[in-house]
Amino acid sequence: MSLLTIGKLAEATGVKVPTIRYYESVGLLPEPPRTDSNRRLYDQETVRRLRFIRHAREMGFETDAIRDLLRMAAQPDRSCRQADGIARAHLAAIDDKIARLTALRDEIEHMLADCPQDHIYSCKVIEVLADHSHCLHAEH
């Protein structure tokens, strides 16, 4: 089995060297063995683990959730109920974010549709930004 330097690990996984070091510092990656010259060396299990982390990050999972998921992945015979719960909570957070972004998009579309694009004194963009009560979703 060949061991990889941190640069080769970065190439193999598409994760930048500073990010790899960060993942080590927060415990997502174990501290690697080092050579006599203090160079880090990584095995194929670290490559797999780092790819898992990268994919989880791309999907928006937070560090603590990834840490929990990695612990679970190391115990393949256990129930996946907790992993399912983490993913469901993440999905709910995504749905909430989508709802908030949709409301924001609607508000800005409304603001732009009502703007006469004439003078600043009649600019709906400036009016709405200056007074929240002009918003579609204003909380009074």
Side-chain angles (χ1 to χ4, degrees), residues 27 32-34 39 44 51 61 69 71 76 90-91 93 102 118 121 140:
R34 294 181 182 251
R39 291 182 70 175
Q44 289 304 307
R51 285 180 177 152
F61 285 94
L69 291 165
R71 272 192 224 111
H90 184 53
L91 180 60
T102 299
D118 189 18
Y121 64 79
H140 301 286

Side-chain angles (χ1 to χ4, degrees), residues 15-30 50 53-54 57 63 66-67:
V15 177
K16 295 182 179 182
V17 169
T19 304
I20 294 170
R21 289 185 183 126
Y22 169 74
Y23 290 157
E24 288 173 7
S25 73
V26 298
L28 290 179
L29 287 176
L50 187 52
I53 295 166
R54 179 177 163 225
R57 289 296 302 139
T63 301
I66 295 170
R67 188 177 293 108

